[in-house]
Amino acid sequence: MSFVAEFAKIPRDKLLLDLYSCAAQDVERALVSPAGDLRSLLALLSPAAEPYIETMAQRSAALTRQRFGANLGMYLPLYVSNLCANDCDYCGFSMSNKLKRKTLNELELMAEMAIIKDRGFDSVLLVSGEHETKVGIDYFKQMLPLVKQQFSHLAMEVQPMSEDHYRQLVALGLDAVMIYQETYQPETYARHHSRGKKMDFAYRLATPDRVAAAGVDKIGLGVLLGLDDWRLDALMMGYHLDYLERRYWRTRFSISLPRLRPCTGGITPKVMLSDLGLVQMICAFRLFNQQLDISMSTRESPELRDNLLPLGITQISAGSSTQPGGYQAPDSQLDQFEISDDRSVEQVIEQMQRQGFNPVFKDWEANWITR
């Protein structure tokens, strides 16, 4: 069993019509009791909810502070490779792009980690292109113990793996897996993935099931906003989240809301998501799920990130690099996408504290949790 079977039953065409036919009374009804209600999430993501965004923002901010206090978790991505065996027209790592390819060896990895530790981080997100032969399970089994020696919390955003491979990595200290579907529209997905194993929509869709079954503590979902109608993609992610929480109730979950950014060989977004629309999404998901971690990367501008912090964000990166070896030796030719917030860690923390937030660099130890 996996979400693939559930997904096949979801009437996506009808839900799209419902999204754009919502009325004010539907939104007002949704605001009464939105938690865990997919019909309420639909209404809160609809165009009819736009006049209610201020109300949604106030409630979202209050719920976030009630659940998470003034704490904001700090993490940093650690890119280990830009090798990729897929062609995805929105990604700088796509195999057809002519750029320098690099995979970190042990010494290079240690040098990157030393810089990240020196900046105070204790939570790291290991990122690579999807190349399972050269940067696959054998590579990760070699590198994860080194990373876990340095960081209390270790997450990965790499190619989908088998349940057995995830189990092997859990035994080596893996705490979380971020696996983004990119878009929940199969036709759109097919247009943007022309070569490689990532062409398999269903295999990717079932990955969170394999991750949860392997005992990974936390799973991150996400869509690349701009590939298709963001309202429908967000709603489908809500359906996916609802299914996973019901089936794997011992697992924690997070979402990421990245907008399509410029990159080598990149594409123009099919549907533009405005700043106001991004606010609507964040607030809608917070009202839908009060326990959910919501991450904000350096894709967004400093001003927007600062303004979004009170509305529902719980995890944030700062001083990020999107290239392998980028902390020790930056090289723009290796970037996955352009960063918009290039402030230093100190500058971001100073602004966070000015707004009354508490940056948290460590809130996790694996031995705190028993399963």
Side-chain angles (χ1 to χ4, degrees):
M1 291 293 294
S2 75
F3 182 65
V4 174
E6 294 287 321
F7 181 77
K9 302 174 187 176
I10 299 173
R12 288 180 292 115
D13 290 341
K14 181 181 183 303
L15 291 177
L16 183 62
L17 291 174
D18 290 347
L19 273 166
Y20 287 92
S21 60
C22 268
Q25 57 264 34
D26 298 313
V27 179
E28 292 170 2
R29 190 180 305 113
L31 287 169
V32 172
S33 183
D37 188 333
L38 287 167
R39 292 302 301 181
S40 292
L41 179 62
L42 183 150
L44 296 175
L45 288 170
S46 73
E50 291 178 354
Y52 297 86
I53 289 179
E54 180 61 33
T55 299
M56 291 169 61
Q58 292 176 3
R59 295 189 185 182
S60 178
L63 286 170
T64 305
R65 298 289 76 78
Q66 177 183 329
R67 170 62 180 83
F68 297 93
N71 298 321
L72 283 170
M74 305 293 296
Y75 74 94
L76 209 58
L78 171 52
Y79 280 71
V80 296
S81 178
N82 62 0
L83 285 175
C84 194
N86 298 315
D87 254 336
C88 312
D89 59 9
Y90 51 79
C91 180
F93 289 176
S94 183
M95 66 183 297
S96 293
N97 289 340
K98 299 186 184 303
L99 73 158
K100 293 192 294 184
R101 304 288 177 170
K102 182 177 181 61
T103 300
L104 301 187
N105 58 33
E106 288 190 14
L107 290 177
E108 292 167 329
L109 178 67
M110 296 296 288
E112 290 287 280
M113 291 194 297
I115 295 172
I116 294 172
K117 290 294 290 186
D118 187 59
R119 294 181 182 180
F121 290 91
D122 196 48
S123 178
V124 69
L125 173 64
L126 220 62
V127 186
S128 77
E130 299 190 7
H131 199 300
E132 64 179 10
T133 55
K134 295 184 178 180
V135 193
I137 185 63
D138 292 336
Y139 177 84
F140 294 124
K141 286 172 65 176
Q142 176 187 1
M143 298 303 183
L144 253 66
L146 301 177
V147 180
K148 195 60 179 180
Q149 288 175 7
Q150 300 293 324
F151 299 96
S152 297
H153 191 263
L154 170 56
M156 293 180 68
E157 184 182 337
V158 301
Q159 67 268 15
M161 298 183 186
S162 68
E163 180 181 331
D164 178 62
H165 285 172
Y166 284 124
R167 287 189 185 278
Q168 293 180 47
L169 297 181
V170 168
L172 296 175
L174 178 63
D175 298 303
V177 170
M178 311 296 131
I179 181 71
Y180 305 146
Q181 190 62 29
E182 316 298 7
T183 176
Y184 284 87
Q185 316 314 317
E187 300 82 5
T188 301
Y189 187 96
R191 285 198 297 272
H192 293 288
H193 303 94
S194 56
R195 274 199 294 179
K197 290 192 70 172
K198 197 170 179 179
M199 293 174 64
D200 192 335
F201 177 89
Y203 184 75
R204 194 171 190 88
L205 192 61
T207 302
D209 286 274
R210 298 193 299 277
V211 175
V216 176
D217 177 75
K218 187 176 183 180
I219 299 173
L221 303 179
V223 288
L224 186 54
L225 301 165
L227 289 184
D228 209 298
D229 188 298
W230 64 267
R231 300 181 195 273
L232 183 58
D233 263 337
L235 180 60
M236 289 300 97
M237 184 167 65
Y239 270 80
H240 199 173
L241 176 65
D242 177 71
Y243 159 86
L244 290 168
E245 286 199 322
R246 285 186 285 107
R247 185 170 176 83
Y248 307 104
W249 55 272
R250 298 179 69 179
T251 305
R252 298 188 298 147
F253 297 94
S254 69
I255 62 169
S256 182
L257 305 173
R259 287 192 283 190
L260 193 58
R261 294 291 303 156
C263 68
T264 301
I267 61 170
T268 302
K270 174 182 175 181
V271 179
M272 295 298 297
L273 172 58
S274 67
D275 292 351
L276 188 64
L278 186 59
V279 170
Q280 183 179 354
M281 283 187 67
I282 292 169
C283 296
F285 272 100
R286 174 58 66 222
L287 296 178
F288 174 66
N289 191 317
Q290 298 176 20
Q291 312 300 318
L292 186 66
D293 266 324
I294 303 179
S295 299
M296 181 62 59
S297 78
T298 51
R299 288 174 180 260
E300 303 298 342
S301 69
E303 297 77 16
L304 181 60
R305 292 219 309 166
D306 293 343
N307 289 328
L308 291 176
L309 290 184
L311 302 183
I313 303 302
T314 61
Q315 301 284 326
I316 187 171
S317 58
S320 300
S321 169
T322 66
Q323 55 185 273
Y327 296 112
Q328 183 182 32
D331 184 344
S332 61
Q333 295 184 61
L334 304 178
D335 281 331
Q336 184 182 29
F337 58 84
E338 290 184 12
I339 287 175
S340 293
D341 188 351
D342 59 0
R343 291 176 295 179
S344 68
V345 177
E346 293 76 16
Q347 289 173 316
V348 173
I349 290 175
E350 181 181 354
Q351 178 60 34
M352 288 169 58
Q353 293 174 331
R354 191 179 299 129
Q355 293 178 248
F357 292 104
N358 175 36
V360 176
F361 285 90
K362 178 175 181 176
D363 67 349
W364 174 260
E365 280 285 357
N367 58 12
W368 291 346
I369 302 296
T370 57
R371 284 187 171 270

